[in-house]
Amino acid sequence: MSTLVIVESPTKARTIRNYLPSDYRVEASMGHVRDLPQSASDIPASVKEEKWAQLGVNVEANFEPIYVIPKDKKKIVQQLKDALKDATELVLATDEDREGESISWHLLQVLKPKVPTKRMVFHEITQEAIKKALKNCRTIDEQLVHAQETRRILDRLVGYTLSPLLWKKIAWGLSAGRVQSVSVRLLVNRERQRRAFRQGSYWDLKAILEQGKTPFDSRLVTVAGVKVATGGDFDPNTGQIIAGRQVRLLSEVEARELRERLLNKTWTVTDLEERPVTRKPAAPFTTSTLQQEANRKLRLSARDTMRTAQSLYEQGYITYMRTDSVHLSEQAIAAARSCVEQKYGQQYLSPKPRQYATKSKGAQEAHEAIRPAGSTFRTPKETGLGGRELALYDLIWKRTVACQMADSRQTQITVQLQVEDAGFRSSGKRIDFPGYLRAYVEGSDDPEAALEDQEVILPPLKVGDHPNCRELEADGHETQPPARYTEASLVKTLESEGIGRPSTYASIIDTIQDKGYAQMNGNALVPTFTAFAVTGLLEKYFPNLVDTSFTSKMEQTLDEISSGEADWLPYLRGFYLGEKGLETQVKEQESQIDPNEARTVELENLAAKVRIGKFGAYIEAENGNGVVTASIPKDVTPAELDPEQVEVLLRQKTEGPDKLGRHPETGEPIYVLRGPYGPYVRLGDVSEENKKPKQASLPKGVNIEDVTLEMALGLLALPRTLGAHPATGGKIQASLGRFGPYVVHDQGKEGKDYRSLKSHDNVLTITLERALELLSEPKKGRAGAGKTKKALRELGDHPKDNEPVNIYDGPYGPYVKHGKTNVSLPEGQSVEEMTMEAAVELLSAKESTKKSGSKSRKSTSSTKSKSAGTSSSSKTTKKKTTASTSTKKK
């Protein structure tokens, strides 16, 4: 008698196998085994001639989906069928959310088991949880399956009906989607706000005062009893003070005059207020808050966060990672409180266990928040994890433990000072008791460092005191446009607006970038001109589909279907086939949409037209001799394209590039150009003899108009040899790379040691001494990168090159490493039994495979190359200029 258990992944299968009796066999389905057809070749021959066949959904017969087994899943399905032949019982143990329920249902339909079948669910993979789940198996929840099926059908109808329209009217390969298109519109609207933004300038004064030898800052707030203007007083659309605001806007001249008038005058404390503040810890992680924090703290994309969390869950380190709930079980609360007592002491424990209520309307996925698995929480050090997995587990552990810690008690201190008719304000913060901040500070990497940053210490002051003024500066500021969305802020907005499911946000953000609707600039998502064109078309002809409230209401209806409050079939009929249904709208509107108009992006204050072409966005303008077109460089965003840039691009196209001068040695002309990847300088003309003249990109922050002949010569001479390293004799050079300017030390066989230049360093003038200083600094790893891995076993030196051969533990099991070659241990081979001879044989086989693979890749790439063609809209301010004179220096 044996039981077959089916889960989604091999990792989950390996982990769960440890907690099941010996007569249980665990296999992986590798995700879904059936889905709607993905291409025309997947459509069954029996329905290929039907007009709805491309949709994969029979809209004429109660929206019946046509499910097929993808080619890459046929072998897996056969393996599962073979395994089922020897089983006397089948247990479907896929994830406990809608998606997991749907996978189990599809397995049931495909395998058609003749043995008793059970559905087993759990939200963590621990011995206790698996034993409990085995005793409490149930049947498949048809209502959950129905809800998931309706969602899948709806997404297919929207995507497969609108996408072909975009291909015809704008460009091939574009796509539309129920959540995707709304997300793109959010990015586009923010970029429109940035384009409409008008900068405002204002000045104020900043003082450094001293009381009892303790310095503190103070900022001008009033003059003659009238509030001084700050960034929040400006209208972002005009750059002027908002109408009706009773504030005084200081010019540079007025600020300097005021400063001169206040020098050497008496400062007096006129008021002092201390206000106690209590802060409570944030709730434990849900899917969306984990994505947000991992993006802010670890710089992980939503996709990387979910992949890493999935791996941690499947290995049994955390509970299920797709959840809208902030609820914690009694077991989890007890485990978290135990951690607090052991690590921080009784005084840091909250007086009563904390339980959090889920605010999300549609929260229905898993039963608990994301937390460390088990009835006792392993500390990050105890896990043996490394890299991203350790960083993410550490984040989850800290957040969970912090939620059961005492409140943080702080005192906000505000001091008002007067000097002549000018009012100044100093603000301080004292942390009376850190509480949960000792373990976790939201948005900060290091709680200890964050505590120091949060605390602003003011000296003991009282009304009537006369602090000394050490320095007084006139500060100029400029208002800043609304920040672009990051992955974190986009996820937060989508969730707060009730659009889509948090578990799908990672794939949506990926799709937006894959389809060319957005590109990452640092940590910001910047919409492309294509995004503007597609959003413009959808807003004009299908406004409901990109309206946040309409999409949110659609999500609500889908949740009502899952709970049985709404009927799925009438809803789908009305949405797709009704008088105002999507199919009818597309048929009516298609003839009304002019492709030339659809491919044109209208931008304010721009005489030239921006169009979407086969190879990307380009400018089109009349110049008296006809129409001139010029490609828009990829680094130019819709918000930044202005008449001056258009003029440069068009002049470069008609008159050729701007000539800076000639090379003093060769006499060749030197040009400054703007290319598809940004501005650069070029030496010489393109000719038959010189098909690829030497060129060099401009350093970040250097504008075309700032480039001089001397700078161009320096850039074209890179890399610069600075000299030899005193310890190794190795060559040290300075150059520019894809990640900016750097210095490199050639260490021979040891390889090359790189360091990025700091913001104040200049790649053209950096000295050998400064390069050595940078190279002596420890190399900074990527966010989330772990320390050097410790080998499970050291086999010795390789007989050919005497380089070490070691065995390490990896995400897919133990592997042998030699130099840059890694090879997994064969199935059934233990770490202890592996010999040097066997390792050398494995490495040799891998090396030969790599060489042959590299040859085939070169051949393929050669063939291919021949055929191929911030988080909110609030205004912040930054320092513009500083006119500073220290009274002490005077």
Side-chain angles (χ1 to χ4, degrees):
M1 182 175 176
S2 67
T3 300
L4 174 64
V5 179
I6 302 179
V7 296
E8 297 94 329
S9 74
T11 306
K12 189 175 176 182
R14 276 200 301 271
T15 309
I16 205 172
R17 204 174 280 134
N18 298 327
Y19 307 127
L20 292 171
S22 58
D23 56 342
Y24 278 65
R25 177 178 176 180
V26 188
E27 295 293 339
S29 69
M30 308 302 289
H32 275 282
V33 292
R34 281 201 317 181
D35 197 6
L36 300 173
Q38 296 297 313
S39 63
S41 61
D42 291 337
I43 300 169
S46 57
V47 298
K48 243 179 186 167
E49 301 306 314
E50 302 290 347
K51 61 181 181 180
W52 46 262
Q54 292 297 329
L55 292 172
V57 178
N58 189 347
V59 295
E60 296 172 358
N62 295 336
F63 292 85
E64 184 186 345
I66 308 301
Y67 289 121
V68 296
I69 300 172
K71 290 174 185 173
D72 62 334
K73 290 297 174 74
K74 288 184 176 176
K75 186 178 178 183
I76 291 162
V77 169
Q78 189 54 55
Q79 287 171 351
L80 292 175
K81 284 182 175 179
D82 291 342
L84 188 58
K85 288 175 185 174
D86 302 324
T88 54
E89 183 183 50
L90 173 63
V91 175
L92 301 169
T94 53
D95 294 337
E96 62 173 333
D97 58 2
R98 290 172 180 165
E99 192 79 19
E101 205 72 20
S102 177
I103 292 172
S104 279
W105 180 78
H106 279 291
L107 282 166
L108 203 61
Q109 304 302 307
V110 169
L111 298 178
K112 297 181 173 55
K114 294 175 183 175
V115 296
T117 302
K118 298 175 183 175
R119 172 81 172 103
M120 183 171 87
V121 292
F122 42 86
H123 68 278
E124 61 181 346
I125 306 177
T126 61
Q127 188 162 10
E128 187 182 349
I130 298 303
K131 282 183 178 179
K132 187 177 177 182
L134 268 177
K135 291 177 183 176
N136 296 283
C137 289
R138 58 170 173 80
T139 57
I140 286 175
D141 188 329
E142 297 283 345
Q143 203 158 281
L144 267 185
V145 173
H146 229 46
Q148 177 62 23
E149 208 172 11
T150 307
R151 187 180 293 272
R152 183 76 183 93
I153 291 168
L154 187 63
D155 286 340
R156 173 56 69 97
L157 295 176
V158 173
Y160 275 49
T161 303
L162 285 178
S163 297
L165 184 69
L166 298 180
W167 304 343
K168 293 176 193 173
K169 305 299 182 181
I170 298 179
W172 173 258
L174 297 177
S175 70
R178 183 175 61 88
V179 179
Q180 172 198 314
S181 297
V182 180
S183 304
V184 171
R185 190 190 181 207
L186 286 171
L187 301 183
V188 168
N189 279 343
R190 183 58 58 84
E191 197 73 3
R192 286 169 177 164
Q193 290 170 5
R194 289 176 66 87
R195 188 168 181 83
F197 173 78
R198 296 294 173 264
Q199 198 169 65
S201 298
Y202 63 96
W203 285 74
D204 63 10
L205 300 181
K206 179 187 175 184
I208 297 179
L209 306 176
E210 188 176 64
Q211 176 78 6
K213 296 187 178 180
T214 303
F216 62 101
D217 294 347
S218 199
R219 181 74 66 174
L220 178 71
V221 288
T222 61
V223 175
V226 179
K227 180 181 178 290
V228 174
T230 61
D233 295 311
F234 286 82
D235 184 336
N237 298 315
T238 64
Q240 303 299 313
I241 296 292
I242 297 168
R245 288 282 170 94
Q246 299 300 311
V247 293
R248 179 169 175 179
L249 178 60
L250 287 181
S251 66
E252 181 179 359
V253 172
E254 288 173 319
R256 291 182 186 278
E257 286 176 351
L258 179 62
R259 175 190 168 277
E260 291 300 322
R261 183 159 63 82
L262 298 180
L263 284 173
N264 302 318
K265 295 296 190 295
T266 302
W267 292 66
T268 305
V269 176
T270 57
D271 189 34
L272 191 148
E273 182 190 5
E274 291 198 0
R275 186 167 55 90
V277 176
T278 301
R279 287 180 56 191
K280 297 182 181 299
F285 281 130
T286 60
T287 301
S288 68
T289 54
L290 179 64
Q291 289 175 11
Q292 291 168 50
E293 274 291 83
N295 184 249
R296 282 195 292 256
K297 286 194 171 189
L298 308 177
R299 289 290 183 264
L300 290 181
S301 68
R303 168 66 72 194
D304 287 339
T305 299
M306 293 310 289
R307 279 180 180 157
T308 308
Q310 177 95 32
S311 174
L312 288 172
Y313 164 67
E314 290 178 347
Q315 293 177 76
Y317 288 108
I318 63 170
T319 54
Y320 192 52
M321 68 292 156
R322 291 191 179 94
T323 174
D324 295 330
S325 174
V326 291
H327 174 77
L328 286 177
S329 66
E330 288 182 13
Q331 171 188 283
I333 290 172
R337 293 178 73 81
S338 172
C339 283
V340 175
E341 282 193 278
Q342 289 173 24
K343 189 166 177 63
Y344 302 103
Q346 181 73 31
Q347 74 273 29
Y348 280 93
L349 195 62
S350 64
K352 292 181 181 178
R354 293 184 194 271
Q355 191 56 272
Y356 294 81
T358 302
K359 293 177 183 176
S360 177
K361 288 180 185 176
Q364 40 66 56
E365 296 290 4
H367 305 302
E368 257 197 285
I370 303 169
R371 63 167 177 85
S375 54
T376 56
F377 295 166
R378 281 172 283 189
T379 64
K381 284 183 180 177
E382 290 170 344
T383 60
L385 293 166
R388 282 179 179 171
E389 289 185 340
L390 176 61
L392 196 65
Y393 180 84
D394 183 64
L395 204 63
I396 294 164
W397 187 90
K398 284 177 177 172
R399 177 91 162 212
T400 311
V401 169
C403 83
Q404 294 303 315
M405 291 177 74
D407 295 345
S408 168
R409 297 194 302 275
Q410 306 171 8
T411 299
Q412 301 278 3
I413 307 160
T414 305
V415 180
Q416 305 290 348
L417 301 107
Q418 196 72 23
V419 50
E420 297 282 293
D421 62 343
F424 282 72
R425 181 189 296 142
S426 297
S427 299
K429 184 194 287 184
R430 185 174 65 243
I431 296 177
D432 303 312
F433 176 64
Y436 73 91
L437 295 175
R438 184 60 68 200
Y440 184 86
V441 182
E442 197 168 11
S444 300
D445 298 319
D446 179 7
E448 291 293 337
L451 282 175
E452 291 169 15
D453 292 342
Q454 283 191 352
E455 204 161 35
V456 180
I457 303 296
L458 292 178
L461 292 163
K462 61 182 184 296
V463 174
D465 280 348
H466 302 293
N468 295 322
C469 179
R470 278 177 35 179
E471 290 183 27
L472 189 60
E473 298 175 350
D475 261 4
H477 309 270
E478 291 174 342
T479 56
Q480 295 297 295
R484 290 186 173 106
Y485 282 102
T486 61
E487 286 198 18
S489 59
L490 181 60
V491 164
K492 187 175 182 179
T493 302
L494 290 172
E495 187 183 36
S496 64
E497 293 284 351
I499 298 164
R501 305 296 310 158
S503 57
T504 65
Y505 293 158
S507 61
I508 288 162
I509 291 170
D510 271 7
T511 303
I512 287 170
Q513 294 176 76
D514 291 344
K515 294 296 180 182
Y517 292 136
Q519 52 195 23
M520 292 300 291
N521 184 356
N523 205 31
L525 285 162
V526 184
T528 60
F529 291 97
T530 303
F532 269 67
V534 169
T535 298
L537 183 149
L538 294 175
E539 284 175 332
K540 186 173 181 179
Y541 297 100
F542 308 97
N544 275 351
L545 293 178
V546 285
D547 180 68
T548 51
S549 57
F550 178 83
T551 310
S552 175
K553 193 175 177 184
M554 192 187 297
E555 200 66 51
Q556 199 176 330
T557 306
L558 287 168
D559 286 334
E560 287 167 0
I561 290 168
S562 72
S563 62
E565 297 170 52
D567 196 349
W568 68 280
L569 192 53
Y571 177 70
L572 284 180
R573 279 181 182 145
F575 174 80
Y576 194 73
L577 298 175
E579 283 184 23
K580 294 183 179 179
L582 183 60
E583 185 185 46
T584 311
Q585 284 185 57
V586 171
K587 284 177 181 175
E588 289 174 355
Q589 303 284 23
E590 187 168 351
S591 59
Q592 309 297 316
I593 302 172
D594 176 13
N596 281 331
E597 183 187 320
R599 292 188 188 110
T600 304
V601 178
E602 297 290 342
L603 296 175
E604 292 177 51
N605 309 318
L606 212 62
K609 291 177 180 175
V610 175
R611 296 193 188 276
I612 308 301
K614 189 176 180 182
F615 302 106
Y618 64 93
I619 300 162
E620 182 180 286
E622 295 275 351
N623 74 341
N625 298 320
V627 175
V628 182
T629 63
S631 295
I632 299 174
K634 288 181 172 60
D635 67 326
V636 174
T637 68
E640 293 161 353
L641 185 65
D642 55 29
E644 290 75 22
Q645 284 180 316
V646 169
E647 188 183 339
V648 169
L649 291 168
L650 292 174
R651 189 174 69 245
Q652 187 174 298
K653 188 71 181 284
T654 55
E655 301 173 13
D658 293 334
K659 190 187 289 184
L660 285 172
R662 291 187 175 274
H663 197 285
E665 294 173 11
T666 66
E668 292 175 283
I670 294 176
Y671 302 105
V672 58
L673 304 97
R674 182 174 271 286
Y677 299 101
Y680 64 98
V681 291
R682 190 183 78 200
L683 176 64
D685 295 302
V686 179
S687 63
E688 278 298 316
E689 296 77 29
N690 189 18
K691 290 182 179 178
K692 289 186 177 179
K694 184 167 185 179
Q695 60 189 50
S697 297
L698 299 191
K700 193 175 181 180
V702 175
N703 298 317
I704 281 184
E705 54 271 21
D706 299 329
V707 181
T708 62
L709 179 60
E710 184 184 4
M711 185 190 293
L713 288 168
L715 291 169
L716 290 165
L718 292 176
R720 288 174 57 223
T721 298
L722 306 180
H725 196 287
T728 67
K731 185 166 60 178
I732 293 178
Q733 291 183 313
S735 192
L736 269 173
R738 58 182 296 202
F739 300 113
Y742 65 89
V743 289
V744 57
H745 171 208
D746 189 342
Q747 303 175 105
K749 285 185 179 180
E750 296 293 319
K752 293 183 177 181
D753 188 23
Y754 294 85
R755 291 294 185 282
S756 294
L757 267 58
K758 308 293 184 188
S759 57
H760 57 272
D761 292 318
N762 186 332
V763 69
L764 302 180
T765 58
I766 189 169
T767 63
L768 175 62
E769 289 71 27
R770 175 60 180 151
L772 290 169
E773 190 181 319
L774 288 170
L775 289 162
S776 68
E777 294 176 3
K779 188 176 284 188
K780 291 180 181 176
R782 292 188 300 261
K787 294 179 181 176
T788 306
K789 269 192 176 181
K790 189 178 178 183
L792 292 176
R793 189 166 162 231
E794 296 177 2
L795 295 176
D797 294 337
H798 197 286
K800 284 188 179 177
D801 57 13
N802 293 323
E803 289 292 316
V805 178
N806 297 332
I807 302 177
Y808 295 92
D809 189 21
Y812 305 106
Y815 63 94
V816 177
K817 181 176 180 66
H818 167 243
K820 292 184 179 178
T821 304
N822 298 342
V823 57
S824 296
L825 264 62
E827 190 72 38
Q829 174 77 61
S830 72
V831 174
E832 293 73 23
E833 292 170 351
M834 176 57 71
T835 62
M836 173 62 88
E837 292 73 21
V840 168
E841 196 176 318
L842 285 170
L843 291 163
S844 175
K846 181 71 177 280
E847 283 291 349
S848 61
T849 310
K850 277 167 75 177
K851 284 175 186 172
S852 62
S854 133
K855 283 179 186 174
S856 72
R857 274 197 301 278
K858 273 187 183 175
S859 145
T860 309
S861 66
S862 164
T863 312
K864 279 185 181 174
S865 66
K866 288 176 185 173
S867 60
T870 262
S871 64
S872 69
S873 60
S874 63
K875 293 176 286 297
T876 57
T877 60
K878 71 173 182 181
K879 187 176 285 190
K880 179 185 175 187
T881 53
T882 301
S884 169
T885 307
S886 165
T887 55
K888 187 175 271 189
K889 284 177 187 172
K890 270 200 166 187

